[in-house]
Amino acid sequence: MTTTEARPTGRKPAQIVDMSWDPITRIIGNLGIYTKIDFANREVVECHSTSSLFRGYSVFMKGKDPRDAGFITSRICGICGDNHTTCSDYAQQMAYGVKPPRLAEHIVNLGEAAEYMFDHTIFQDNLVFVDFCEAMVKATNPGLLARAERTDAPRGDIHGYRTIADIMKAFNPFEGEVYKEALKVSRVTREMFCLMEGRHVHPSTLYPGGVGTLPQPTVFTDYLSRLMRVIDFVKKAVAMNDDVFDFFYEALPGYEEVGRRRILLGCWGAFQDPDVVDYRYENMNRWGRAMYVTPGVVVDGELVTNDLVDINLGLRIMLGSSYYEDWVGEEPFVTHDPLGNPVDMRHPWNQTTVPVPQKRDFDGKYSWVMSPRWLDGRTGDHLALDTGGGPLARLWSTALSGLVETPYIKATGHSVRISLPKGETLPETTLEWRIPKWSNTIERDRARPYFVAYAAAMALQFLEEAMGLVRAGDTKVFENFEVPDEAIGCGFHEAVRGVLSHHLVIKDKKIANYHPYPPTPWNASPRDKFGTPGPYEDAVQGQPIFEENGPDDFKGVDIMRTVRSFDPCLPCGVHMYVGKGRTLTTLHSPTYGANHG
Amino acid sequence: MTTHSGTTEVSGEPSRGEDRQGFDEIHILWISEGMSCDGDTVSLTAADQPSIEDLVLGLIPGLPKVNLVNKVLSPSLGGEDFLAPYRAAARGDLAPFILVIEGSVPNQNVIEGDGYWTSFGNDPETGEPQTLNHWIDELAPKAWAVVAAGTCATFGGIHAMAGNPTGCMGLADYLGWDFRSQGGLPVVNVPGCPIQPENFMETLIWVLYHAAGSAPPPPLDHMLRPQWLFGKTVHEGCDRGSYYEQASFAGDYNSPKCLVKTGCWGPVVNCNVPKRGWMAGIGGCPNVGGICIGCTMPGFPDAFMPFMDEPPGGTLSSIAIKPYGAVIRRLRGFTNELVNHEPRWRHNKRKLTSGYDPHWRP
């Protein structure tokens, strides 16, 4: 069994209601979540996740100039377009055999650090946290809010809020203090981004071979002064989030089961070390392990591999419930990798995308998202890895590998320590993210502000190194290259919400095949041909319901918290809800209940 | 000392007495389920002049009260709760509203049988997905104004490039370029991939002033773009434009000079980003080292690819400018050398040589 074990059910005669949320709000893209909820036992018994958007990047990229790939693939996503451009440039640099100058790598790293800070902040504080804000808790768990009003916030000396309910109030949409401040901070961090990459969302200054950003001291000073202005907000965000999440565990015993999955995490690594990376496939293990976020596959708490070659070769794109035709009968594009290892027909290098629009059928095909899986060589299982919304897998993988040690960050084997300098009101602070007991909704959300701190700490290092180069007169940011007649390349990176890979095949100097795999297809994937549910489905299926409302006025907040904890973003692949407990089809279905109760 | 400030409280009195012909309250129904990346919504949240919270909280004087319904920012949990205003508008129970479409509009007619390229909620009767096209057909004729946000919605954009499987197009291609909303406006196109945040907010606010009855409709060009934003070219606002004039061209991306030879389309692209910056005056494209790939243009992207090669027209015009540019650059070099010296009368000797003529002191 590759998924989370079933939880014991059937204590009371089931009372099953179909409930769906489509579209899901406060995410990017088209996502629908369709569930069957047993109100008698207060748990979700079944979940289907569906994406209702197809645009066809891997179709219309064919035959184009490969150098255009970064500009085009940026448009896959309106929130992490730069992650795509960066990843595409990594893949192209492998194919062209070009290594950008060191300063260019620092500039890209600084852009990506600003992107993580921006995106995680706006997502956590303006989208996710609305599910934990006073207005929402009042509508779903009034008893909990009463308790929050009586509970002092343990870290009030850092963030300044006296009670847990005060924090929740500060997150009320458009009116709460933190909600509004987060919008502002998300603008400052985007300005930092624009200093390095020109434009947000779709960057203008990134090229294969380097960047066009003018590496004048001013851009670094402008970045640094903005970073230092938000550094205390980052420290406060960690403290506020910890207070609220700890309160949930304490006030609602069993909340750790909400969104809990078997630990199946993937991280493809971020922040290249300019002194090690050469983009050669043959050396990918070496420079992959030197990344400042360590790649890795984590299964049941154990690090299976942090070798990008293993990670690459284990990728499998499965069908089963997706609106596509299979391609296994086609000629493969790549039979062996540059090290001579065989490449599977279901690997992205060999994939062909043939869309077949059709009726949505939850017993058959029901999503435009395919099902990426990772073949665990030890067991032969096709694992439905998730990304923990990004930060959870990144911190987990980095902590276990214990390879990152910088002036501001240390991976210890069981934790990641992050030091941030003195800010306007708060002193120098060391935060420690420890590997949690569970891969669940709360830990996915908790990891996010810690990773904002991580990105800020990395930015400080990249700034120092970049300024060192500029002061020494080493201001080269672009290296020229030739597009070869035939080549293959792969890029591994972390989009904000998790693993991102681009696979490229060039023939006659044109794109013969191009398949980007962003995080959301991993997280939002439907059941594959083995019947294995995707991570959203698996995490929601079987989760308990703590909301106090009954079926008639049910909001589904616990389910929404789970789905949003993964940071859904489905331009790269998705729709949930029925307000006021509107029942779509079945109430108290005895037949259904007999099978599933 | 008095504490009287001089202000007079006239509680609740409007500042202007005349009757306005417009609305006091309006809904913005924003659908991002076009074939988009939602980058226009994300870009919108970057606007600070004014910001989205300023608009929603009513901090801009003279506008109707705005009820924004946008999936990304909606405080609702989603699904039918979120869709309620859209359903009400489709029934004719919610007016007036501005319909904002984000993303390219797919061609459903290329699909045989069931199936859809993009959907937005389900048909309450059948449970089947409702296509974007269904919602546009229902809502556009009832909308007081229709705004297309971003190049996908205006002209089709990236997803409409050659070789695309979905047959998608811009909103005006779908509705017809002679479409008029209930308020008598054509589709208001705000291109950009994505929208420059302040360009969009400013256009939206002009439409809202018009809705309030206090402004004429926004002036649009033949491609229905706001004239004051898209009337000039990138080149005309680019701080590398003067390098072009002096025929100083970058050979690769390491250079601060004009980027035309490395793929920049600035001289022929209608866009104000180098002048306005990307947000709060920061960032941009050629001004900060990025080639202009024409992302605001109806011909985007196909007319501009491959992006990293010199535009065909660039070769001729850059040859033409060479002799002129070389002479001018040289002459300016002389003058620059001259003005890089201080005048000779600045010294610490006893004799004043500055030409100052003391007339009251001997």
Side-chain angles (χ1 to χ4, degrees):
Chain A
M1 186 68 186
T2 62
T3 48
T4 309
E5 73 276 22
R7 296 164 179 93
T9 54
R11 287 128 303 186
K12 293 183 196 162
Q15 178 204 354
I16 308 262
V17 183
D18 275 11
M19 291 225 165
S20 68
W21 288 254
D22 189 348
I24 294 202
T25 50
R26 282 181 276 121
I27 66 161
I28 309 290
N30 312 18
L31 170 69
I33 293 285
Y34 292 75
T35 64
K36 294 186 191 302
I37 298 176
D38 175 355
F39 277 93
N41 294 299
R42 307 204 63 79
E43 67 180 31
V44 184
V45 292
E46 193 179 280
C47 174
H48 287 88
S49 142
T50 162
S51 161
S52 62
L53 173 67
F54 177 78
R55 300 167 306 181
Y57 277 78
S58 38
V59 179
F60 56 68
M61 300 266 294
K62 283 199 180 195
K64 304 286 178 349
D65 189 311
R67 295 170 301 160
D68 288 347
F71 298 92
I72 299 172
T73 55
S74 173
R75 273 76 186 176
I76 289 175
C77 182
I79 190 150
C80 62
D82 61 295
N83 301 139
H84 281 281
T85 314
T86 302
C87 192
S88 176
D89 289 345
Y90 289 169
Q92 291 179 62
Q93 281 151 199
M94 181 181 286
Y96 309 157
V98 61
K99 172 181 158 49
R102 281 194 298 171
L103 186 55
E105 296 288 2
H106 287 310
I107 288 174
V108 171
N109 285 343
L110 283 166
E112 296 304 270
E115 168 69 22
Y116 294 129
M117 292 180 69
F118 145 71
D119 191 339
H120 285 318
T121 300
I122 200 170
F123 183 72
Q124 184 87 340
D125 296 347
N126 300 116
L127 307 181
V128 162
F129 227 97
V130 173
D131 286 335
F132 294 89
C133 79
E134 183 227 10
M136 189 66 80
V137 174
K138 194 189 234 165
T140 51
N141 291 73
L144 186 71
L145 184 62
R147 182 165 169 171
E149 276 160 1
R150 298 190 305 267
T151 309
D152 283 344
R155 298 166 184 85
D157 56 320
I158 300 169
H159 53 66
Y161 293 98
R162 194 178 64 79
T163 66
I164 299 293
D166 289 342
I167 303 176
M168 291 172 167
K169 280 188 195 110
F171 278 96
N172 280 343
F174 286 105
E175 281 161 5
E177 260 178 68
V178 175
Y179 185 96
K180 286 195 279 194
E181 200 189 345
L183 278 173
K184 291 201 173 88
V185 166
S186 83
R187 287 180 197 124
V188 177
T189 44
R190 266 182 283 195
E191 289 169 16
M192 289 159 60
F193 179 90
C194 290
L195 286 164
M196 294 299 146
E197 302 195 12
R199 311 191 320 158
H200 190 273
V201 172
H202 304 311
S204 57
T205 61
L206 299 192
Y207 304 101
V211 300
T213 316
L214 273 187
Q216 286 174 333
T218 315
V219 296
F220 302 100
T221 315
D222 287 359
Y223 186 105
L224 175 65
S225 52
R226 283 174 174 77
L227 174 62
M228 291 316 295
R229 236 173 275 149
V230 300
I231 208 110
D232 283 351
F233 176 85
V234 174
K235 296 171 196 163
K236 286 181 194 168
V238 171
M240 269 186 278
N241 279 266
D242 272 342
D243 275 355
V244 172
F245 296 139
D246 290 349
F247 170 77
F248 263 75
Y249 280 147
E250 190 190 297
L252 296 173
Y255 212 83
E256 67 276 4
E257 286 301 307
V258 170
R260 187 178 72 78
R261 272 196 95 203
R262 184 181 162 197
I263 299 161
L264 293 168
L265 296 167
C267 165
W268 296 169
F271 299 137
Q272 303 286 5
D273 182 338
D275 295 325
V276 182
V277 66
D278 62 4
Y279 295 100
R280 286 173 56 80
Y281 186 90
E282 292 82 347
N283 301 333
M284 191 157 67
N285 179 28
R286 193 168 87 86
W287 53 260
R289 286 163 50 97
M291 288 166 121
Y292 290 110
V293 168
T294 317
V297 174
V298 179
V299 175
D300 299 328
E302 187 192 325
L303 181 72
V304 178
T305 179
N306 56 19
D307 180 346
L308 279 179
V309 174
D310 285 348
I311 288 174
N312 178 42
L313 291 171
L315 300 178
R316 296 289 181 274
I317 310 303
M318 315 291 282
L319 296 174
S321 310
S322 326
Y323 305 140
Y324 299 92
E325 216 163 80
D326 205 350
W327 60 87
V328 283
E330 306 284 323
E331 274 289 300
F333 290 92
V334 179
T335 55
H336 292 83
D337 75 354
L339 288 164
N341 300 303
V343 176
D344 194 83
M345 198 58 203
R346 306 218 72 86
H347 187 276
W349 264 329
N350 286 328
Q351 185 185 339
T352 301
T353 298
V354 187
V356 186
Q358 54 196 286
K359 210 176 161 80
R360 186 171 60 205
D361 173 8
F362 288 114
D363 296 322
K365 302 194 178 210
Y366 60 89
S367 183
W368 274 118
V369 174
M370 294 191 194
S371 304
R373 301 288 185 255
W374 191 76
L375 178 62
D376 187 343
R378 306 167 307 168
T379 58
D381 286 342
H382 289 80
L383 302 177
L385 297 181
D386 71 74
T387 73
L392 186 70
R394 287 204 278 275
L395 293 168
W396 208 311
S397 168
T398 302
L400 280 180
S401 282
L403 293 170
V404 177
E405 187 161 2
T406 78
Y408 302 96
I409 305 242
K410 182 167 173 49
T412 65
H414 57 86
S415 72
V416 174
R417 278 202 283 272
I418 307 157
S419 299
L420 295 177
K422 177 178 165 307
E424 197 183 346
T425 55
L426 293 172
E428 182 182 348
T429 305
T430 296
L431 302 162
E432 183 164 18
W433 178 90
R434 294 180 187 83
I435 291 177
K437 275 189 258 180
W438 309 285
S439 169
N440 65 7
T441 297
I442 282 188
E443 297 308 330
R444 275 174 220 119
D445 286 340
R446 188 203 300 274
R448 202 166 286 120
Y450 279 91
F451 197 79
V452 174
Y454 192 105
M458 285 313 308
L460 286 162
Q461 182 196 328
F462 299 138
L463 272 174
E464 287 163 14
E465 294 182 16
M467 284 297 267
L469 288 172
V470 171
R471 289 173 187 139
D474 184 359
T475 56
K476 195 170 184 201
V477 289
F478 177 77
E479 191 66 60
N480 234 325
F481 57 84
E482 285 279 322
V483 177
D485 284 340
E486 296 208 352
I488 58 171
C490 57
F492 287 92
H493 188 37
E494 283 282 300
V496 180
R497 44 217 43 82
V499 301
L500 175 62
S501 58
H502 281 216
H503 283 82
L504 159 73
V505 181
I506 299 172
K507 281 192 176 144
D508 302 327
K509 292 189 192 289
K510 301 277 183 222
I511 294 174
N513 205 15
Y514 201 107
H515 277 89
Y517 268 90
T520 301
W522 286 89
N523 294 330
S525 61
R527 283 150 171 79
D528 63 26
K529 70 165 181 179
F530 301 115
T532 310
Y536 293 171
E537 298 179 333
D538 184 39
V540 170
Q541 216 155 260
Q543 83 161 44
I545 295 294
F546 284 83
E547 181 178 338
E548 291 166 35
N549 300 316
D552 294 337
D553 50 1
F554 187 64
K555 306 265 189 287
V557 72
D558 303 302
I559 297 168
M560 289 299 97
R561 282 178 188 142
T562 295
V563 173
R564 290 203 187 93
S565 70
F566 286 97
D567 196 347
C569 180
L570 286 110
C572 61
V574 189
H575 303 269
M576 168 172 181
Y577 169 102
V578 175
K580 305 192 174 75
R582 209 164 301 171
T583 303
L584 278 183
T585 49
T586 342
L587 254 180
H588 312 271
S589 160
T591 326
Y592 189 79
N595 288 338
H596 292 79
Chain B
M1 179 85 185
T2 171
T3 55
H4 191 263
S5 66
T7 52
T8 313
E9 170 95 27
V10 274
S11 53
E13 289 282 329
S15 55
R16 288 179 298 166
E18 74 266 32
D19 275 349
R20 286 186 305 177
Q21 298 297 307
F23 307 112
D24 295 327
E25 185 168 355
I26 197 160
H27 303 266
I28 297 178
L29 303 184
W30 186 305
I31 299 183
S32 59
E33 270 75 2
M35 310 180 81
S36 80
C37 65
D38 285 20
D40 302 302
T41 289
V42 173
S43 228
L44 170 83
T45 65
D48 203 18
Q49 297 164 174
S51 70
I52 186 72
E53 59 270 29
D54 290 346
L55 179 68
V56 171
L57 297 173
L59 294 180
I60 302 159
L63 295 189
K65 179 180 186 309
V66 170
N67 304 314
L68 174 71
V69 191
N70 170 293
K71 184 187 66 196
V72 176
L73 298 168
S74 167
S76 89
L77 281 151
E80 287 305 314
D81 186 31
F82 170 70
L83 289 169
Y86 297 88
R87 300 228 188 268
R91 285 192 308 269
D93 293 345
L94 182 140
F97 68 92
I98 296 172
L99 177 66
V100 180
I101 297 290
E102 175 174 358
S104 332
V105 184
N107 187 347
Q108 276 293 125
N109 296 326
V110 301
I111 297 178
E112 283 175 25
D114 301 316
Y116 55 93
W117 296 119
T118 177
S119 76
F120 181 51
N122 297 322
D123 185 322
E125 301 298 314
T126 64
E128 290 300 317
Q130 280 175 315
T131 62
L132 171 77
N133 310 61
H134 161 87
W135 285 101
I136 295 175
D137 296 345
E138 285 284 320
L139 294 176
K142 299 184 181 80
W144 182 80
V146 176
V147 177
T151 298
C152 283
T154 56
F155 310 126
I158 279 276
H159 311 111
M161 79 159 74
N164 82 79
T166 58
C168 62
M169 65 200 99
L171 186 60
D173 301 323
Y174 182 77
L175 288 174
W177 284 79
D178 55 355
F179 168 86
R180 293 293 177 272
S181 66
Q182 287 294 318
L185 293 169
V187 176
V188 177
N189 278 339
V190 188
C193 186
I195 49 168
Q196 196 276 0
E198 285 127 13
N199 278 352
F200 185 82
M201 279 304 271
E202 202 174 79
T203 308
L204 184 63
I205 279 170
W206 188 317
V207 172
L208 288 166
Y209 279 123
H210 181 47
S214 59
L220 306 177
D221 69 11
H222 74 292
M223 294 308 285
L224 307 178
R225 298 169 287 204
Q227 278 175 1
W228 78 99
L229 297 172
F230 295 93
K232 293 199 174 75
T233 64
V234 164
H235 193 60
E236 286 158 350
C238 182
D239 52 13
R240 293 182 187 225
S242 49
Y243 284 106
Y244 186 104
E245 186 202 13
Q246 300 176 45
S248 293
F249 299 104
D252 67 26
Y253 305 98
N254 286 299
S255 167
K257 296 179 179 175
C258 175
L259 290 167
V260 161
K261 294 208 160 290
T262 54
C264 184
W265 284 80
V268 294
V269 166
N270 295 82
C271 177
N272 62 350
V273 161
K275 194 80 180 162
R276 195 168 204 177
W278 188 252
M279 57 184 296
I282 293 163
C285 304
N287 55 323
V288 297
I291 49 174
C292 170
I293 60 169
C295 79
T296 56
M297 299 296 278
F300 178 76
D302 307 76
F304 305 94
M305 290 162 73
F307 298 122
M308 287 171 73
D309 285 346
E310 182 178 11
T315 319
L316 187 64
S317 63
S318 60
I319 288 173
I321 194 86
K322 255 192 182 141
Y324 168 82
V327 172
I328 291 294
R329 192 170 63 225
R330 193 146 194 188
L331 293 175
R332 284 180 182 162
F334 293 139
T335 315
N336 176 258
E337 178 66 20
L338 204 66
V339 295
N340 258 316
H341 287 96
E342 286 191 73
R344 64 186 187 287
W345 58 81
R346 293 182 197 157
H347 56 76
N348 62 356
K349 294 173 195 157
R350 284 202 63 83
K351 190 172 164 56
L352 183 65
T353 54
S354 71
Y356 171 67
D357 183 14
H359 60 90
W360 53 270
R361 208 173 58 179

